[in-house]
Amino acid sequence: MRFNFWNLAKQSLTGHTGWPEQWRDPEPKSAYDVVIIGAGGHGLATAYYLAKEHGIRNVAVMEKGWLGGGNTGRNTTIIRSNYLWEESEAIYEHAMVLWETLSQELNYNVMYSPRGVMMLAHNEQDVRIFKRHVHANRLAGIDNEWLSAEQAKDFCPPLNISPNARYPILGAALQRRGGVARHDAVAWGYARAADRMGVDIIQNCAVTGIHRDHNGVVTGVETTRGEIKTSRLGIAAAGHTSVIMAMAGLHMPLESFPLQALVSEPIKPVLPCVVMSNTTHAYISQSDKGELVIGAGTDQYNSYSQTGSLHITTRTLDAICELFPITRRLRMLRNWGGIVDVTPDRSPIIGLTPAEGLFVNCGWGTGGFKATPGSGHVFAATIAHNQPHPIAAPFSLHRFRTGRLIDEAAAAAVSH
Amino acid sequence: MLLIHCPYCGERPEIEFRHKGEAHIVRPENPAVSSDIEWTEFLYFRHNPKGPHAERWYHTHGCGRFFNAQRDTGTDRFLKTYRTDETP
């Protein structure tokens, strides 16, 4: 049933008892044309575009927990495309364009809100690098502008621009088209739309092994609910990518780290935009419920525990209190961690692998949410044609051998 | 925050230390003759296991020495720490 005014009115009159389930809970079949591992935003978007744009509907998305329960439901929902290098600009802007019409496309309100993303410069080096970003972005046709400290305060009034601050604000780069979206709704919207086209989303079913024949070609996966045959397997497992790839005997240029976030108690609207301070690893926006959503930096050690150290979040909150003195007496409601897979050059890996039939979409590190639609779109094309989509091609696994790294200093929350 | 047992100084809080990546990665004897695959493995590829992980730590705000550790990345518990001239 579509979400529209007519159906809403009809359901209102009958006590909202007639809404059908948004997606099925199917038993896994014994074989699929394509199997995707990981029902987060990226995996579900991949399945959706496989079905919609490539006519491949006999697809299963395997999820060891519940859909959208990993990093999709744990991030701070920031969307922007003001990256430095042309390759990154291409993929993040591709995603940005898809974000702009995603709610209509999926018939699901993903609450995309282009309220502006402001990145603060606290020292001369920040000023130089952000101005370079502004110029690079404008050459690529991506909006990004330089603001003085006073202009930054005009745009975001609670900001403390005192020159006596611990990290004084010397200016800011503003991408007005950047913003936030409702992270859960992105997973739910893609899940519902993919399910309607016949994609099986199989939750609470962990993949425990990957089968390859004597030539190394992928033939299927072993799961906690039996074996599933497939000739094309796509991995979109974020922090656990190394673990899944090891099942196929493959080694990856990835390390997994905890990344933490917090939300405050809800307050009246005070923050009109997203504010990022990469230097202090403090990222903040306000949700529609009124909570301040705060992102911190990564922990320094490899971990899969989905919890991080308290001193990381303490340091971030110190910075938030300094940037926004009005938040000093605010209490935090929840604090959680997710596991992010970080590559040596802070850029993702999308494409083919040394194993025929095995495709990987990983390494999004601390910034994968913003790329969800674009990532799924190019990954679906890569799987469908067994060759990299032009936008995905520079992000191949092969780049670590050729040395054509995409050293992306615009990535947040990680040290460079 | 982790409590880390430095083999030289004893148990100290994590903020005194820097994590220095996977341990026991050996630089190829002669890079001029190593293949691109070997060199890429050495530079970029890491085991990143979920479970026991061999890693290097540096006691920045302490003795200033490197040491190695075995830590379970699923639980963050240290299994052991040992000097760089010791075998795990």
Side-chain angles (χ1 to χ4, degrees), chain A residues 14 17 26 31 61 97 99 113 136 146-147 150 155 160 162 172 184 214 276 289 302 311 342 344 405:
Chain A
T14 54
T17 50
V61 186
V97 169
W99 276 116
S113 162
W146 179 253
L147 303 182
E150 292 73 24
F155 193 73
N160 170 24
S162 159
D184 295 325
H214 59 278
M276 302 178 57
K289 279 189 287 184
N302 300 43
H311 68 271
V342 176
L405 302 186

PDB file of all heavy atoms in Angstrom, chain A residues 14 17 26 31 61 97 99 113 136 146-147 150 155 160 162 172 184 214 276 289 302 311 342 344 405:
ATOM      1  N   THR A  14     -10.521   4.188   9.823  1.00  0.00           N
ATOM      2  CA  THR A  14     -10.655   2.809  10.320  1.00  0.00           C
ATOM      3  C   THR A  14      -9.656   2.528  11.443  1.00  0.00           C
ATOM      4  O   THR A  14      -9.272   1.388  11.678  1.00  0.00           O
ATOM      5  CB  THR A  14     -10.464   1.792   9.176  1.00  0.00           C
ATOM      6  OG1 THR A  14      -9.204   2.074   8.537  1.00  0.00           O
ATOM      7  CG2 THR A  14     -11.557   1.887   8.154  1.00  0.00           C
ATOM      8  N   THR A  17      -5.901   0.399  11.410  1.00  0.00           N
ATOM      9  CA  THR A  17      -5.725  -1.041  11.622  1.00  0.00           C
ATOM     10  C   THR A  17      -5.432  -1.770  10.313  1.00  0.00           C
ATOM     11  O   THR A  17      -5.074  -2.944  10.321  1.00  0.00           O
ATOM     12  CB  THR A  17      -6.993  -1.651  12.251  1.00  0.00           C
ATOM     13  OG1 THR A  17      -8.097  -1.222  11.467  1.00  0.00           O
ATOM     14  CG2 THR A  17      -7.156  -1.191  13.695  1.00  0.00           C
ATOM     15  N   PRO A  26      10.645 -13.381   4.846  1.00  0.00           N
ATOM     16  CA  PRO A  26      10.594 -14.645   4.103  1.00  0.00           C
ATOM     17  C   PRO A  26      11.603 -15.676   4.598  1.00  0.00           C
ATOM     18  O   PRO A  26      12.614 -15.326   5.200  1.00  0.00           O
ATOM     19  CB  PRO A  26      10.958 -14.211   2.682  1.00  0.00           C
ATOM     20  CG  PRO A  26      11.813 -13.012   2.860  1.00  0.00           C
ATOM     21  CD  PRO A  26      11.370 -12.341   4.123  1.00  0.00           C
ATOM     22  N   ALA A  31      18.526 -20.767  -3.580  1.00  0.00           N
ATOM     23  CA  ALA A  31      19.444 -20.100  -4.509  1.00  0.00           C
ATOM     24  C   ALA A  31      18.890 -18.735  -4.906  1.00  0.00           C
ATOM     25  O   ALA A  31      17.672 -18.534  -4.979  1.00  0.00           O
ATOM     26  CB  ALA A  31      19.635 -20.954  -5.764  1.00  0.00           C
ATOM     27  N   VAL A  61      19.000 -10.223   0.755  1.00  0.00           N
ATOM     28  CA  VAL A  61      19.871  -9.401   1.595  1.00  0.00           C
ATOM     29  C   VAL A  61      19.946 -10.098   2.954  1.00  0.00           C
ATOM     30  O   VAL A  61      18.934 -10.255   3.625  1.00  0.00           O
ATOM     31  CB  VAL A  61      19.327  -7.969   1.753  1.00  0.00           C
ATOM     32  CG1 VAL A  61      20.333  -7.112   2.502  1.00  0.00           C
ATOM     33  CG2 VAL A  61      19.027  -7.345   0.393  1.00  0.00           C
ATOM     34  N   VAL A  97      22.708  14.233  -5.096  1.00  0.00           N
ATOM     35  CA  VAL A  97      21.639  14.443  -6.070  1.00  0.00           C
ATOM     36  C   VAL A  97      20.510  13.422  -5.829  1.00  0.00           C
ATOM     37  O   VAL A  97      19.328  13.753  -5.904  1.00  0.00           O
ATOM     38  CB  VAL A  97      22.196  14.357  -7.510  1.00  0.00           C
ATOM     39  CG1 VAL A  97      21.076  14.310  -8.537  1.00  0.00           C
ATOM     40  CG2 VAL A  97      23.138  15.528  -7.775  1.00  0.00           C
ATOM     41  N   TRP A  99      19.831  12.038  -2.906  1.00  0.00           N
ATOM     42  CA  TRP A  99      19.165  12.404  -1.644  1.00  0.00           C
ATOM     43  C   TRP A  99      18.026  13.376  -1.896  1.00  0.00           C
ATOM     44  O   TRP A  99      16.979  13.315  -1.241  1.00  0.00           O
ATOM     45  CB  TRP A  99      20.144  13.099  -0.688  1.00  0.00           C
ATOM     46  CG  TRP A  99      20.992  12.212   0.153  1.00  0.00           C
ATOM     47  CD1 TRP A  99      22.353  12.108   0.118  1.00  0.00           C
ATOM     48  CD2 TRP A  99      20.559  11.300   1.177  1.00  0.00           C
ATOM     49  NE1 TRP A  99      22.783  11.187   1.050  1.00  0.00           N
ATOM     50  CE2 TRP A  99      21.708  10.684   1.713  1.00  0.00           C
ATOM     51  CE3 TRP A  99      19.311  10.947   1.690  1.00  0.00           C
ATOM     52  CZ2 TRP A  99      21.657   9.734   2.735  1.00  0.00           C
ATOM     53  CZ3 TRP A  99      19.255  10.004   2.705  1.00  0.00           C
ATOM     54  CH2 TRP A  99      20.405   9.407   3.215  1.00  0.00           C
ATOM     55  N   SER A 113      16.822  16.974   5.118  1.00  0.00           N
ATOM     56  CA  SER A 113      16.694  18.371   5.489  1.00  0.00           C
ATOM     57  C   SER A 113      17.989  19.111   5.164  1.00  0.00           C
ATOM     58  O   SER A 113      18.946  19.079   5.936  1.00  0.00           O
ATOM     59  CB  SER A 113      16.389  18.446   6.989  1.00  0.00           C
ATOM     60  OG  SER A 113      16.656  19.732   7.489  1.00  0.00           O
ATOM     61  N   ALA A 136      38.216  24.007  -4.695  1.00  0.00           N
ATOM     62  CA  ALA A 136      38.132  22.736  -5.431  1.00  0.00           C
ATOM     63  C   ALA A 136      36.678  22.378  -5.697  1.00  0.00           C
ATOM     64  O   ALA A 136      36.309  21.966  -6.800  1.00  0.00           O
ATOM     65  CB  ALA A 136      38.824  21.631  -4.637  1.00  0.00           C
ATOM     66  N   TRP A 146      33.093  30.243   1.743  1.00  0.00           N
ATOM     67  CA  TRP A 146      33.892  30.614   2.898  1.00  0.00           C
ATOM     68  C   TRP A 146      33.175  31.693   3.687  1.00  0.00           C
ATOM     69  O   TRP A 146      32.690  32.669   3.111  1.00  0.00           O
ATOM     70  CB  TRP A 146      35.269  31.110   2.453  1.00  0.00           C
ATOM     71  CG  TRP A 146      36.097  31.529   3.613  1.00  0.00           C
ATOM     72  CD1 TRP A 146      36.416  32.801   3.976  1.00  0.00           C
ATOM     73  CD2 TRP A 146      36.681  30.670   4.595  1.00  0.00           C
ATOM     74  NE1 TRP A 146      37.161  32.789   5.120  1.00  0.00           N
ATOM     75  CE2 TRP A 146      37.344  31.500   5.533  1.00  0.00           C
ATOM     76  CE3 TRP A 146      36.704  29.290   4.783  1.00  0.00           C
ATOM     77  CZ2 TRP A 146      38.020  30.981   6.635  1.00  0.00           C
ATOM     78  CZ3 TRP A 146      37.381  28.775   5.871  1.00  0.00           C
ATOM     79  CH2 TRP A 146      38.032  29.616   6.791  1.00  0.00           C
ATOM     80  N   LEU A 147      33.082  31.516   5.000  1.00  0.00           N
ATOM     81  CA  LEU A 147      32.460  32.508   5.872  1.00  0.00           C
ATOM     82  C   LEU A 147      33.500  33.024   6.863  1.00  0.00           C
ATOM     83  O   LEU A 147      34.336  32.258   7.350  1.00  0.00           O
ATOM     84  CB  LEU A 147      31.312  31.885   6.684  1.00  0.00           C
ATOM     85  CG  LEU A 147      30.157  31.209   5.953  1.00  0.00           C
ATOM     86  CD1 LEU A 147      29.133  30.732   6.969  1.00  0.00           C
ATOM     87  CD2 LEU A 147      29.505  32.138   4.954  1.00  0.00           C
ATOM     88  N   GLU A 150      32.318  36.116  11.907  1.00  0.00           N
ATOM     89  CA  GLU A 150      31.062  36.850  12.146  1.00  0.00           C
ATOM     90  C   GLU A 150      29.935  36.298  11.282  1.00  0.00           C
ATOM     91  O   GLU A 150      28.795  36.149  11.736  1.00  0.00           O
ATOM     92  CB  GLU A 150      31.251  38.353  11.863  1.00  0.00           C
ATOM     93  CG  GLU A 150      32.155  39.087  12.835  1.00  0.00           C
ATOM     94  CD  GLU A 150      33.640  38.748  12.659  1.00  0.00           C
ATOM     95  OE1 GLU A 150      34.035  38.328  11.545  1.00  0.00           O
ATOM     96  OE2 GLU A 150      34.395  38.887  13.643  1.00  0.00           O
ATOM     97  N   PHE A 155      25.002  32.868  10.769  1.00  0.00           N
ATOM     98  CA  PHE A 155      24.318  31.678  10.254  1.00  0.00           C
ATOM     99  C   PHE A 155      23.921  30.742  11.401  1.00  0.00           C
ATOM    100  O   PHE A 155      22.921  30.050  11.329  1.00  0.00           O
ATOM    101  CB  PHE A 155      25.231  30.949   9.255  1.00  0.00           C
ATOM    102  CG  PHE A 155      24.523  29.899   8.451  1.00  0.00           C
ATOM    103  CD1 PHE A 155      23.649  30.268   7.436  1.00  0.00           C
ATOM    104  CD2 PHE A 155      24.702  28.545   8.697  1.00  0.00           C
ATOM    105  CE1 PHE A 155      22.981  29.318   6.688  1.00  0.00           C
ATOM    106  CE2 PHE A 155      24.046  27.587   7.955  1.00  0.00           C
ATOM    107  CZ  PHE A 155      23.181  27.984   6.941  1.00  0.00           C
ATOM    108  N   ASN A 160      30.081  30.357  19.761  1.00  0.00           N
ATOM    109  CA  ASN A 160      30.937  31.265  20.525  1.00  0.00           C
ATOM    110  C   ASN A 160      32.169  31.599  19.682  1.00  0.00           C
ATOM    111  O   ASN A 160      33.025  30.751  19.471  1.00  0.00           O
ATOM    112  CB  ASN A 160      31.345  30.569  21.834  1.00  0.00           C
ATOM    113  CG  ASN A 160      32.421  31.324  22.571  1.00  0.00           C
ATOM    114  OD1 ASN A 160      32.567  32.536  22.388  1.00  0.00           O
ATOM    115  ND2 ASN A 160      33.172  30.619  23.398  1.00  0.00           N
ATOM    116  N   SER A 162      34.327  34.042  20.383  1.00  0.00           N
ATOM    117  CA  SER A 162      35.283  34.829  21.174  1.00  0.00           C
ATOM    118  C   SER A 162      36.714  34.443  20.805  1.00  0.00           C
ATOM    119  O   SER A 162      37.046  33.263  20.705  1.00  0.00           O
ATOM    120  CB  SER A 162      35.048  34.560  22.658  1.00  0.00           C
ATOM    121  OG  SER A 162      36.202  34.902  23.384  1.00  0.00           O
ATOM    122  N   ALA A 172      34.760  29.639   8.564  1.00  0.00           N
ATOM    123  CA  ALA A 172      34.093  28.364   8.367  1.00  0.00           C
ATOM    124  C   ALA A 172      33.784  28.159   6.893  1.00  0.00           C
ATOM    125  O   ALA A 172      33.630  29.120   6.144  1.00  0.00           O
ATOM    126  CB  ALA A 172      32.795  28.305   9.172  1.00  0.00           C
ATOM    127  N   ASP A 184      17.132   5.876  10.238  1.00  0.00           N
ATOM    128  CA  ASP A 184      16.316   4.655  10.223  1.00  0.00           C
ATOM    129  C   ASP A 184      15.395   4.628   9.006  1.00  0.00           C
ATOM    130  O   ASP A 184      15.216   3.591   8.368  1.00  0.00           O
ATOM    131  CB  ASP A 184      15.446   4.564  11.481  1.00  0.00           C
ATOM    132  CG  ASP A 184      16.276   4.423  12.739  1.00  0.00           C
ATOM    133  OD1 ASP A 184      17.330   3.765  12.677  1.00  0.00           O
ATOM    134  OD2 ASP A 184      15.879   4.979  13.775  1.00  0.00           O
ATOM    135  N   HIS A 214      36.870 -24.907  -7.186  1.00  0.00           N
ATOM    136  CA  HIS A 214      38.317 -25.103  -7.298  1.00  0.00           C
ATOM    137  C   HIS A 214      39.002 -24.015  -8.116  1.00  0.00           C
ATOM    138  O   HIS A 214      40.209 -23.857  -8.056  1.00  0.00           O
ATOM    139  CB  HIS A 214      38.629 -26.503  -7.859  1.00  0.00           C
ATOM    140  CG  HIS A 214      38.007 -26.729  -9.209  1.00  0.00           C
ATOM    141  ND1 HIS A 214      36.689 -27.111  -9.355  1.00  0.00           N
ATOM    142  CD2 HIS A 214      38.503 -26.594 -10.453  1.00  0.00           C
ATOM    143  CE1 HIS A 214      36.407 -27.216 -10.651  1.00  0.00           C
ATOM    144  NE2 HIS A 214      37.483 -26.909 -11.335  1.00  0.00           N
ATOM    145  N   MET A 276      30.410  21.189  12.219  1.00  0.00           N
ATOM    146  CA  MET A 276      31.476  20.197  12.340  1.00  0.00           C
ATOM    147  C   MET A 276      32.764  20.902  12.717  1.00  0.00           C
ATOM    148  O   MET A 276      33.105  21.927  12.142  1.00  0.00           O
ATOM    149  CB  MET A 276      31.703  19.481  11.003  1.00  0.00           C
ATOM    150  CG  MET A 276      30.475  18.783  10.466  1.00  0.00           C
ATOM    151  SD  MET A 276      30.790  18.009   8.863  1.00  0.00           S
ATOM    152  CE  MET A 276      32.155  16.932   9.235  1.00  0.00           C
ATOM    153  N   LYS A 289      13.291  15.971  17.014  1.00  0.00           N
ATOM    154  CA  LYS A 289      12.745  15.766  18.360  1.00  0.00           C
ATOM    155  C   LYS A 289      13.321  16.764  19.352  1.00  0.00           C
ATOM    156  O   LYS A 289      12.847  16.858  20.468  1.00  0.00           O
ATOM    157  CB  LYS A 289      13.070  14.346  18.855  1.00  0.00           C
ATOM    158  CG  LYS A 289      12.134  13.285  18.314  1.00  0.00           C
ATOM    159  CD  LYS A 289      12.354  11.951  19.009  1.00  0.00           C
ATOM    160  CE  LYS A 289      13.651  11.305  18.563  1.00  0.00           C
ATOM    161  NZ  LYS A 289      13.825   9.961  19.157  1.00  0.00           N
ATOM    162  N   ASN A 302      42.018  -1.062  17.407  1.00  0.00           N
ATOM    163  CA  ASN A 302      41.084  -1.924  16.672  1.00  0.00           C
ATOM    164  C   ASN A 302      40.095  -2.546  17.653  1.00  0.00           C
ATOM    165  O   ASN A 302      40.503  -3.011  18.710  1.00  0.00           O
ATOM    166  CB  ASN A 302      41.801  -3.111  16.029  1.00  0.00           C
ATOM    167  CG  ASN A 302      42.861  -2.701  15.053  1.00  0.00           C
ATOM    168  OD1 ASN A 302      43.625  -1.779  15.329  1.00  0.00           O
ATOM    169  ND2 ASN A 302      42.920  -3.359  13.935  1.00  0.00           N
ATOM    170  N   HIS A 311      36.939   8.738  27.666  1.00  0.00           N
ATOM    171  CA  HIS A 311      37.704   9.974  27.486  1.00  0.00           C
ATOM    172  C   HIS A 311      37.546  10.561  26.092  1.00  0.00           C
ATOM    173  O   HIS A 311      37.746  11.752  25.897  1.00  0.00           O
ATOM    174  CB  HIS A 311      39.181   9.758  27.834  1.00  0.00           C
ATOM    175  CG  HIS A 311      39.933   8.877  26.896  1.00  0.00           C
ATOM    176  ND1 HIS A 311      40.017   7.520  27.042  1.00  0.00           N
ATOM    177  CD2 HIS A 311      40.620   9.165  25.780  1.00  0.00           C
ATOM    178  CE1 HIS A 311      40.742   7.023  26.061  1.00  0.00           C
ATOM    179  NE2 HIS A 311      41.118   7.988  25.285  1.00  0.00           N
ATOM    180  N   VAL A 342      38.085   1.430   8.447  1.00  0.00           N
ATOM    181  CA  VAL A 342      38.849   2.565   7.934  1.00  0.00           C
ATOM    182  C   VAL A 342      39.946   2.064   6.997  1.00  0.00           C
ATOM    183  O   VAL A 342      40.668   1.120   7.314  1.00  0.00           O
ATOM    184  CB  VAL A 342      39.437   3.364   9.115  1.00  0.00           C
ATOM    185  CG1 VAL A 342      40.313   4.498   8.608  1.00  0.00           C
ATOM    186  CG2 VAL A 342      38.335   3.901  10.007  1.00  0.00           C
ATOM    187  N   PRO A 344      43.472   2.923   4.547  1.00  0.00           N
ATOM    188  CA  PRO A 344      44.658   3.765   4.732  1.00  0.00           C
ATOM    189  C   PRO A 344      44.497   5.173   4.151  1.00  0.00           C
ATOM    190  O   PRO A 344      45.106   6.109   4.656  1.00  0.00           O
ATOM    191  CB  PRO A 344      45.756   3.003   3.987  1.00  0.00           C
ATOM    192  CG  PRO A 344      45.294   1.593   3.963  1.00  0.00           C
ATOM    193  CD  PRO A 344      43.808   1.657   3.886  1.00  0.00           C
ATOM    194  N   LEU A 405      46.155   6.276  -4.700  1.00  0.00           N
ATOM    195  CA  LEU A 405      45.295   6.421  -3.526  1.00  0.00           C
ATOM    196  C   LEU A 405      44.473   7.699  -3.642  1.00  0.00           C
ATOM    197  O   LEU A 405      44.862   8.636  -4.349  1.00  0.00           O
ATOM    198  CB  LEU A 405      46.138   6.457  -2.253  1.00  0.00           C
ATOM    199  CG  LEU A 405      47.040   5.255  -1.994  1.00  0.00           C
ATOM    200  CD1 LEU A 405      47.686   5.371  -0.624  1.00  0.00           C
ATOM    201  CD2 LEU A 405      46.275   3.952  -2.092  1.00  0.00           C
TER     202      LEU A 405
END
